[in-house]
Amino acid sequence: DLTGQSPEVYFAAGLALGLQIPVIWTVQSRDAVNLPAGMFNHFQPFVWDNTEELADMMRQRLNE
């Protein structure tokens, strides 16, 4: 989850991507505007408002 822009999240995601492990990007809507400008060009994070909405998005994604 990119909410709060923790450097550790970018490091862990980069490691996972390097090991060819799929990454599901998420960010709370209030913090989405703080993402780096090119982020949406490369990844499409789930933008959520509350945890119930995020849980529904994750269920749908994992059932695909």
Side-chain angles (χ1 to χ4, degrees):
D1 184 67
L2 299 169
T3 304
Q5 301 291 304
S6 172
E8 292 86 5
V9 172
Y10 287 102
F11 179 80
L15 177 63
L17 291 170
L19 295 172
Q20 298 182 356
I21 298 170
V23 174
I24 299 174
W25 300 91
T26 64
V27 64
Q28 193 169 18
S29 60
R30 65 175 166 76
D31 209 26
V33 296
N34 298 325
L35 292 177
M39 183 73 175
F40 288 100
N41 295 337
H42 301 287
F43 305 104
Q44 292 295 322
F46 290 123
V47 180
W48 53 277
D49 289 312
N50 57 59
T51 54
E52 292 81 16
E53 182 180 22
L54 177 60
D56 288 340
M57 290 178 183
M58 295 299 292
R59 273 190 219 97
Q60 289 175 359
R61 171 67 168 89
L62 294 172
N63 286 328
E64 289 180 352

